[in-house]
Amino acid sequence: MSGEIDADCTPVLTATAARVHRLAPQRMFVDLAEVSFAGAALVNFLVRVVNGLPPSCVTVFCRATPQTTRLLRITSVDSIAALSDRLPDTWLRSHTTPCYDRARIG
């Protein structure tokens, strides 16, 4: 994800959540490194997308800025997924570009 994640993003976030739910991944890494502003729209999106995934899906919120991490913690969204300060090495090696086969928001 990148840019300002606010109420203006709601249509894109809703479409992205629906796409992720259709894919029903077994693992999901949400790269938050390029989020410059995060508000309630991000919190709502993350809760909605994680709650719609199969229970066996492993979800990790990666590379969140200190401000985004604080938002995830004060809203308890950090309890629905693991937090990591980096992307998994296998993810980085298996893709030719950072945005390969992932939804880019912002």
Side-chain angles (χ1 to χ4, degrees):
M1 301 179 78
S2 65
E4 297 180 1
I5 311 302
D6 57 18
D8 292 342
C9 298
T10 300
V12 174
L13 296 171
T14 299
T16 300
R19 181 173 180 238
V20 171
H21 293 159
R22 283 191 303 275
L23 293 172
Q26 291 303 306
R27 292 181 302 161
M28 184 175 74
F29 301 97
V30 181
D31 186 1
L32 300 168
E34 295 181 21
V35 173
S36 58
F37 172 82
L42 177 66
V43 170
N44 289 332
F45 168 73
L46 294 174
V47 169
R48 184 172 61 237
V49 78
V50 170
N51 285 341
L53 293 172
S56 60
C57 181
V58 174
T59 304
V60 182
F61 301 146
C62 303
R63 303 190 315 162
T65 64
Q67 295 84 0
T68 301
T69 299
R70 183 172 185 271
L71 176 67
L72 298 177
R73 289 195 171 126
I74 64 174
T75 59
S76 297
V77 174
D78 63 333
S79 68
I80 64 171
L83 296 178
S84 176
D85 60 355
R86 63 190 191 103
L87 290 170
D89 294 335
T90 55
W91 188 90
L92 293 171
R93 283 194 305 270
S94 65
H95 297 88
T96 56
T97 62
C99 60
Y100 176 83
D101 196 29
R102 70 174 184 168
R104 238 181 122 84
I105 299 171

